[in-house]
Short mmCIF file of all heavy atoms in Angstrom, two decimals:
data_model
loop_
_atom_site.label_atom_id
_atom_site.label_comp_id
_atom_site.label_asym_id
_atom_site.label_seq_id
_atom_site.Cartn_x
_atom_site.Cartn_y
_atom_site.Cartn_z
N PRO U 97 -12.26 -6.25 -14.48
CA PRO U 97 -11.74 -5.06 -13.93
C PRO U 97 -12.59 -4.47 -12.76
O PRO U 97 -13.77 -4.78 -12.64
CB PRO U 97 -11.67 -4.05 -15.07
CG PRO U 97 -12.78 -4.55 -16.03
CD PRO U 97 -12.77 -5.97 -15.89
N ILE U 98 -11.97 -3.63 -12.13
CA ILE U 98 -12.68 -2.92 -10.93
C ILE U 98 -13.64 -1.88 -11.66
O ILE U 98 -13.29 -1.20 -12.55
CB ILE U 98 -11.67 -2.13 -10.13
CG1 ILE U 98 -10.67 -3.18 -9.35
CG2 ILE U 98 -12.39 -1.31 -9.02
CD1 ILE U 98 -9.57 -2.53 -8.61
N ARG U 99 -14.84 -1.97 -11.16
CA ARG U 99 -15.87 -1.09 -11.70
C ARG U 99 -16.17 0.13 -10.65
O ARG U 99 -16.59 1.02 -11.01
CB ARG U 99 -17.09 -1.78 -12.02
CG ARG U 99 -16.96 -2.89 -13.15
CD ARG U 99 -16.54 -2.31 -14.44
NE ARG U 99 -16.39 -3.38 -15.44
CZ ARG U 99 -15.91 -3.19 -16.79
NH1 ARG U 99 -15.44 -1.95 -17.06
NH2 ARG U 99 -15.94 -4.10 -17.62
N ARG U 100 -16.19 -0.32 -9.41
CA ARG U 100 -16.60 0.51 -8.36
C ARG U 100 -15.98 0.09 -6.95
O ARG U 100 -15.92 -1.13 -6.71
CB ARG U 100 -18.07 0.60 -8.24
CG ARG U 100 -18.55 1.55 -7.22
CD ARG U 100 -20.12 1.62 -7.18
NE ARG U 100 -20.64 2.39 -6.10
CZ ARG U 100 -22.03 2.55 -5.87
NH1 ARG U 100 -22.82 1.72 -6.53
NH2 ARG U 100 -22.42 3.26 -4.94
N LEU U 101 -15.59 1.03 -6.18
CA LEU U 101 -15.08 0.83 -4.81
C LEU U 101 -16.22 1.17 -3.87
O LEU U 101 -16.87 2.13 -4.09
CB LEU U 101 -13.79 1.61 -4.49
CG LEU U 101 -12.55 1.11 -5.18
CD1 LEU U 101 -11.39 1.97 -4.61
CD2 LEU U 101 -12.36 -0.31 -5.06
N PHE U 102 -16.42 0.45 -2.67
CA PHE U 102 -17.26 0.80 -1.69
C PHE U 102 -16.55 1.13 -0.43
O PHE U 102 -15.61 0.29 -0.13
CB PHE U 102 -18.21 -0.31 -1.39
CG PHE U 102 -19.10 -0.80 -2.46
CD1 PHE U 102 -18.67 -1.74 -3.51
CD2 PHE U 102 -20.35 -0.26 -2.77
CE1 PHE U 102 -19.42 -2.13 -4.56
CE2 PHE U 102 -21.12 -0.60 -3.76
CZ PHE U 102 -20.65 -1.47 -4.69
N LEU U 103 -16.89 2.15 0.17
CA LEU U 103 -16.12 2.64 1.48
C LEU U 103 -17.30 2.91 2.44
O LEU U 103 -18.22 3.64 2.29
CB LEU U 103 -15.43 3.91 1.18
CG LEU U 103 -14.35 4.26 2.23
CD1 LEU U 103 -13.37 3.31 2.23
CD2 LEU U 103 -13.70 5.66 1.91
N GLU U 104 -17.05 2.35 3.76
CA GLU U 104 -18.10 2.60 4.80
C GLU U 104 -17.41 2.55 6.11
O GLU U 104 -16.17 1.88 6.15
CB GLU U 104 -19.18 1.48 4.70
CG GLU U 104 -18.72 -0.06 4.71
CD GLU U 104 -19.74 -1.00 4.69
OE1 GLU U 104 -20.72 -0.76 5.28
OE2 GLU U 104 -19.51 -2.04 3.95
N GLN U 105 -18.05 3.09 7.16
CA GLN U 105 -17.60 3.19 8.45
C GLN U 105 -18.51 2.21 9.39
O GLN U 105 -19.55 2.08 9.14
CB GLN U 105 -17.63 4.53 9.07
CG GLN U 105 -16.64 5.59 8.33
CD GLN U 105 -16.76 6.88 9.19
OE1 GLN U 105 -15.98 7.05 10.14
NE2 GLN U 105 -17.59 7.81 8.75
N SER U 106 -17.82 1.79 10.36
CA SER U 106 -18.56 0.98 11.37
C SER U 106 -17.70 1.08 12.76
O SER U 106 -16.69 1.52 12.84
CB SER U 106 -18.56 -0.62 10.90
OG SER U 106 -17.36 -1.08 10.90
N ARG U 107 -18.45 0.61 13.83
CA ARG U 107 -17.99 0.68 15.14
C ARG U 107 -18.10 -0.71 15.77
O ARG U 107 -19.17 -1.21 15.86
CB ARG U 107 -18.77 1.75 15.95
CG ARG U 107 -18.20 1.76 17.51
CD ARG U 107 -18.98 2.78 18.31
NE ARG U 107 -18.73 4.05 17.91
CZ ARG U 107 -17.81 4.85 18.31
NH1 ARG U 107 -16.90 4.39 19.12
NH2 ARG U 107 -17.64 6.17 17.89
N LEU U 108 -16.95 -1.36 15.98
CA LEU U 108 -16.91 -2.68 16.53
C LEU U 108 -16.01 -2.79 17.79
O LEU U 108 -14.94 -2.21 17.77
CB LEU U 108 -16.50 -3.60 15.49
CG LEU U 108 -17.36 -3.82 14.26
CD1 LEU U 108 -16.61 -4.77 13.20
CD2 LEU U 108 -18.61 -4.51 14.66
N SER U 109 -16.60 -3.31 18.82
CA SER U 109 -15.76 -3.60 20.03
C SER U 109 -15.09 -2.28 20.63
O SER U 109 -14.03 -2.26 21.01
CB SER U 109 -14.72 -4.60 19.75
OG SER U 109 -15.23 -5.83 19.31
N GLY U 110 -15.88 -1.25 20.46
CA GLY U 110 -15.40 0.07 20.99
C GLY U 110 -14.43 0.87 20.21
O GLY U 110 -13.84 1.87 20.61
N TYR U 111 -14.27 0.42 18.95
CA TYR U 111 -13.37 1.33 18.10
C TYR U 111 -14.01 1.38 16.69
O TYR U 111 -14.80 0.67 16.37
CB TYR U 111 -11.95 0.59 18.04
CG TYR U 111 -11.94 -0.70 17.27
CD1 TYR U 111 -11.78 -0.87 15.91
CD2 TYR U 111 -11.89 -1.91 18.06
CE1 TYR U 111 -11.82 -2.14 15.39
CE2 TYR U 111 -11.91 -3.13 17.50
CZ TYR U 111 -11.86 -3.25 16.17
OH TYR U 111 -11.78 -4.43 15.50
N GLU U 112 -13.57 2.41 16.01
CA GLU U 112 -14.19 2.61 14.66
C GLU U 112 -13.27 2.21 13.72
O GLU U 112 -12.02 2.27 13.75
CB GLU U 112 -14.32 4.24 14.49
CG GLU U 112 -15.54 4.79 15.42
CD GLU U 112 -15.67 6.28 15.09
OE1 GLU U 112 -14.73 6.91 14.77
OE2 GLU U 112 -16.85 6.73 15.27
N GLU U 113 -13.78 1.70 12.53
CA GLU U 113 -13.00 1.17 11.54
C GLU U 113 -13.51 1.63 10.16
O GLU U 113 -14.78 1.88 10.03
CB GLU U 113 -12.82 -0.41 11.54
CG GLU U 113 -14.11 -1.18 11.21
CD GLU U 113 -13.88 -2.64 11.15
OE1 GLU U 113 -12.73 -3.06 11.45
OE2 GLU U 113 -14.76 -3.31 10.64
N ILE U 114 -12.84 1.54 9.24
CA ILE U 114 -13.23 1.76 7.67
C ILE U 114 -13.06 0.63 6.93
O ILE U 114 -11.96 -0.06 6.99
CB ILE U 114 -12.33 3.04 7.17
CG1 ILE U 114 -12.40 4.18 8.14
CG2 ILE U 114 -13.04 3.46 5.85
CD1 ILE U 114 -11.50 5.34 7.70
N LYS U 115 -14.06 0.33 6.11
CA LYS U 115 -13.97 -0.92 5.23
C LYS U 115 -13.92 -0.33 3.79
O LYS U 115 -14.85 0.28 3.37
CB LYS U 115 -15.15 -1.91 5.48
CG LYS U 115 -14.83 -3.18 4.68
CD LYS U 115 -16.11 -4.19 5.00
CE LYS U 115 -17.29 -3.80 4.36
NZ LYS U 115 -18.30 -4.98 4.42
N CYS U 116 -12.98 -0.84 3.00
CA CYS U 116 -12.87 -0.65 1.62
C CYS U 116 -13.01 -2.00 0.89
O CYS U 116 -12.32 -2.80 1.12
CB CYS U 116 -11.57 0.06 1.26
SG CYS U 116 -11.30 0.50 -0.42
N SER U 117 -13.97 -2.03 -0.11
CA SER U 117 -14.32 -3.36 -0.60
C SER U 117 -14.59 -3.19 -2.14
O SER U 117 -14.99 -2.08 -2.67
CB SER U 117 -15.51 -4.05 0.07
OG SER U 117 -16.67 -3.23 -0.03
N VAL U 118 -14.49 -4.35 -2.73
CA VAL U 118 -14.73 -4.45 -4.29
C VAL U 118 -15.32 -5.84 -4.50
O VAL U 118 -14.86 -6.74 -3.76
CB VAL U 118 -13.55 -4.22 -5.08
CG1 VAL U 118 -12.46 -5.07 -4.87
CG2 VAL U 118 -13.87 -4.05 -6.62
N GLN U 119 -16.04 -5.99 -5.54
CA GLN U 119 -16.79 -7.26 -5.75
C GLN U 119 -16.50 -7.68 -7.25
O GLN U 119 -16.47 -6.90 -8.12
CB GLN U 119 -18.25 -7.20 -5.40
CG GLN U 119 -18.59 -7.01 -4.01
CD GLN U 119 -20.17 -6.93 -3.87
OE1 GLN U 119 -20.88 -7.09 -4.80
NE2 GLN U 119 -20.56 -6.68 -2.68
N ASP U 120 -16.47 -9.02 -7.41
CA ASP U 120 -16.36 -9.64 -8.80
C ASP U 120 -15.25 -9.11 -9.59
O ASP U 120 -15.52 -8.54 -10.66
CB ASP U 120 -17.68 -9.45 -9.45
CG ASP U 120 -18.81 -10.21 -8.77
OD1 ASP U 120 -18.60 -11.27 -8.20
OD2 ASP U 120 -19.96 -9.81 -8.78
N VAL U 121 -14.01 -9.25 -9.06
CA VAL U 121 -12.90 -8.81 -9.89
C VAL U 121 -11.88 -10.02 -10.05
O VAL U 121 -11.99 -10.95 -9.29
CB VAL U 121 -12.16 -7.67 -9.19
CG1 VAL U 121 -12.95 -6.43 -9.02
CG2 VAL U 121 -11.72 -8.03 -7.67
N PHE U 122 -10.96 -9.81 -11.08
CA PHE U 122 -9.94 -10.74 -11.31
C PHE U 122 -8.80 -10.07 -12.17
O PHE U 122 -9.22 -9.48 -13.16
CB PHE U 122 -10.40 -12.01 -12.01
CG PHE U 122 -9.32 -13.08 -12.06
CD1 PHE U 122 -9.23 -13.96 -11.07
CD2 PHE U 122 -8.41 -13.13 -13.19
CE1 PHE U 122 -8.17 -14.99 -11.05
CE2 PHE U 122 -7.44 -14.01 -13.13
CZ PHE U 122 -7.25 -14.90 -12.24
N PRO U 123 -7.57 -10.25 -11.87
CA PRO U 123 -7.09 -10.95 -10.57
C PRO U 123 -7.39 -10.02 -9.38
O PRO U 123 -7.74 -8.89 -9.51
CB PRO U 123 -5.66 -11.10 -10.87
CG PRO U 123 -5.31 -9.91 -11.82
CD PRO U 123 -6.56 -9.85 -12.64
N PRO U 124 -7.20 -10.63 -8.22
CA PRO U 124 -7.43 -9.76 -6.95
C PRO U 124 -6.42 -8.65 -7.00
O PRO U 124 -5.24 -8.83 -7.24
CB PRO U 124 -7.22 -10.75 -5.81
CG PRO U 124 -6.34 -11.80 -6.37
CD PRO U 124 -6.77 -11.94 -7.82
N PRO U 125 -6.89 -7.44 -6.70
CA PRO U 125 -6.05 -6.25 -6.71
C PRO U 125 -5.17 -6.01 -5.49
O PRO U 125 -5.32 -6.77 -4.54
CB PRO U 125 -7.08 -5.05 -6.79
CG PRO U 125 -8.24 -5.54 -5.95
CD PRO U 125 -8.23 -7.02 -6.34
N ARG U 126 -4.22 -5.25 -5.61
CA ARG U 126 -3.30 -4.97 -4.55
C ARG U 126 -3.75 -3.60 -3.79
O ARG U 126 -4.31 -2.73 -4.47
CB ARG U 126 -1.86 -4.50 -5.08
CG ARG U 126 -0.85 -4.27 -4.00
CD ARG U 126 0.48 -4.20 -4.44
NE ARG U 126 0.55 -3.09 -5.54
CZ ARG U 126 0.91 -1.80 -5.32
NH1 ARG U 126 1.25 -1.42 -4.21
NH2 ARG U 126 1.04 -0.99 -6.39
N VAL U 127 -4.05 -3.97 -2.48
CA VAL U 127 -4.65 -2.84 -1.68
C VAL U 127 -3.68 -2.23 -0.84
O VAL U 127 -2.84 -2.73 -0.05
CB VAL U 127 -5.68 -3.44 -0.69
CG1 VAL U 127 -6.52 -2.38 0.00
CG2 VAL U 127 -6.73 -4.34 -1.57
N THR U 128 -3.74 -0.81 -0.93
CA THR U 128 -2.84 0.03 0.00
C THR U 128 -3.71 1.09 0.60
O THR U 128 -4.65 1.58 0.12
CB THR U 128 -1.68 0.64 -0.82
OG1 THR U 128 -2.19 1.41 -1.87
CG2 THR U 128 -0.75 -0.36 -1.35
N TRP U 129 -3.25 1.54 1.77
CA TRP U 129 -3.93 2.61 2.60
C TRP U 129 -2.96 3.75 2.76
O TRP U 129 -1.61 3.51 2.86
CB TRP U 129 -4.43 2.14 3.88
CG TRP U 129 -5.67 1.28 3.81
CD1 TRP U 129 -5.62 -0.04 3.66
CD2 TRP U 129 -6.99 1.63 3.95
NE1 TRP U 129 -6.99 -0.56 3.66
CE2 TRP U 129 -7.73 0.46 3.85
CE3 TRP U 129 -7.69 2.99 4.24
CZ2 TRP U 129 -9.21 0.63 3.93
CZ3 TRP U 129 -9.00 3.07 4.30
CH2 TRP U 129 -9.81 1.83 4.16
N ALA U 130 -3.47 4.89 2.96
CA ALA U 130 -2.66 6.13 3.23
C ALA U 130 -3.50 7.18 3.95
O ALA U 130 -4.77 6.94 3.91
CB ALA U 130 -2.00 6.70 1.94
N THR U 131 -2.92 8.26 4.52
CA THR U 131 -3.65 9.26 5.14
C THR U 131 -3.19 10.60 4.55
O THR U 131 -1.98 10.74 4.15
CB THR U 131 -3.56 9.25 6.69
OG1 THR U 131 -2.09 9.48 7.05
CG2 THR U 131 -4.09 7.97 7.25
N GLU U 132 -4.06 11.56 4.61
CA GLU U 132 -3.63 12.83 4.31
C GLU U 132 -4.05 13.93 5.43
O GLU U 132 -5.31 13.92 5.68
CB GLU U 132 -4.31 13.26 2.94
CG GLU U 132 -3.85 14.63 2.50
CD GLU U 132 -2.34 14.73 2.12
OE1 GLU U 132 -1.86 13.76 1.54
OE2 GLU U 132 -1.75 15.72 2.49
N PRO U 133 -3.23 14.60 6.09
CA PRO U 133 -1.70 14.57 5.76
C PRO U 133 -1.15 13.23 6.24
O PRO U 133 -1.82 12.43 6.97
CB PRO U 133 -1.21 15.65 6.70
CG PRO U 133 -2.19 15.79 7.82
CD PRO U 133 -3.44 15.50 7.14
N PRO U 134 0.05 12.89 5.79
CA PRO U 134 0.78 11.55 6.19
C PRO U 134 0.88 11.55 7.49
O PRO U 134 1.18 12.50 8.28
CB PRO U 134 2.07 11.56 5.29
CG PRO U 134 1.79 12.58 4.26
CD PRO U 134 0.80 13.63 4.82
N THR U 135 0.82 10.30 8.11
CA THR U 135 1.22 10.04 9.54
C THR U 135 2.18 8.95 9.71
O THR U 135 2.39 8.15 8.72
CB THR U 135 -0.18 9.47 10.31
OG1 THR U 135 0.24 9.24 11.53
CG2 THR U 135 -0.66 8.20 9.64
N PHE U 136 2.96 9.00 10.64
CA PHE U 136 4.04 8.11 10.89
C PHE U 136 3.70 6.83 11.63
O PHE U 136 4.47 5.89 11.89
CB PHE U 136 5.30 8.80 11.65
CG PHE U 136 5.90 9.87 10.93
CD1 PHE U 136 5.54 11.24 11.30
CD2 PHE U 136 6.76 9.66 9.91
CE1 PHE U 136 6.23 12.20 10.55
CE2 PHE U 136 7.30 10.63 9.22
CZ PHE U 136 7.07 11.96 9.56
N GLU U 137 2.36 6.81 12.09
CA GLU U 137 1.85 5.61 12.62
C GLU U 137 1.60 4.45 11.67
O GLU U 137 1.24 4.70 10.57
CB GLU U 137 0.51 5.87 13.44
CG GLU U 137 0.69 6.81 14.70
CD GLU U 137 -0.52 6.92 15.51
OE1 GLU U 137 -1.04 5.87 15.66
OE2 GLU U 137 -0.79 7.97 15.98
N ASP U 138 1.82 3.23 12.19
CA ASP U 138 1.55 2.08 11.34
C ASP U 138 0.06 1.84 11.22
O ASP U 138 -0.70 1.73 12.15
CB ASP U 138 2.20 0.83 12.02
CG ASP U 138 2.21 -0.31 11.07
OD1 ASP U 138 1.64 -0.24 9.99
OD2 ASP U 138 2.75 -1.41 11.51
N LEU U 139 -0.47 1.84 10.02
CA LEU U 139 -1.92 1.65 9.77
C LEU U 139 -2.43 0.30 10.00
O LEU U 139 -3.63 0.17 10.46
CB LEU U 139 -2.27 2.23 8.31
CG LEU U 139 -1.99 3.64 8.09
CD1 LEU U 139 -2.39 4.02 6.70
CD2 LEU U 139 -2.65 4.64 9.09
N ARG U 140 -1.74 -0.68 9.61
CA ARG U 140 -2.15 -2.01 9.96
C ARG U 140 -3.49 -2.40 9.44
O ARG U 140 -4.39 -2.90 10.15
CB ARG U 140 -1.95 -2.43 11.37
CG ARG U 140 -0.48 -2.27 11.96
CD ARG U 140 -0.43 -2.69 13.44
NE ARG U 140 0.87 -2.61 13.92
CZ ARG U 140 1.32 -2.83 15.10
NH1 ARG U 140 0.29 -3.26 16.04
NH2 ARG U 140 2.55 -2.60 15.48
N PRO U 141 -3.80 -2.35 8.15
CA PRO U 141 -5.14 -2.77 7.68
C PRO U 141 -5.14 -4.32 7.68
O PRO U 141 -4.17 -5.02 7.60
CB PRO U 141 -5.29 -2.30 6.20
CG PRO U 141 -3.68 -2.02 5.86
CD PRO U 141 -2.93 -1.83 7.05
#
């Protein structure tokens, strides 16, 4: 099972990104992203 999520920011090639990660899990989980407030733009993770 998932024990802990890791969330970090980075800047690559002139843009900022957020990385959400988990280690040593099975089966691999389903990952979804959202914003608050909701946005109509496609997030494309």
Side-chain angles (χ1 to χ4, degrees):
I98 298 171
R99 302 296 186 186
R100 182 182 177 185
L101 292 186
F102 297 90
L103 194 66
E104 57 183 316
Q105 294 186 83
S106 64
R107 180 183 293 273
L108 295 173
S109 303
Y111 63 85
E112 292 184 328
E113 69 173 12
I114 308 170
K115 184 176 77 169
C116 181
S117 61
V118 66
Q119 298 179 1
D120 296 328
V121 296
F122 187 90
R126 182 169 59 91
V127 185
T128 56
W129 286 85
T131 61
E132 184 62 43
T135 177
F136 293 103
E137 292 193 40
D138 189 359
L139 296 179
R140 297 184 181 180

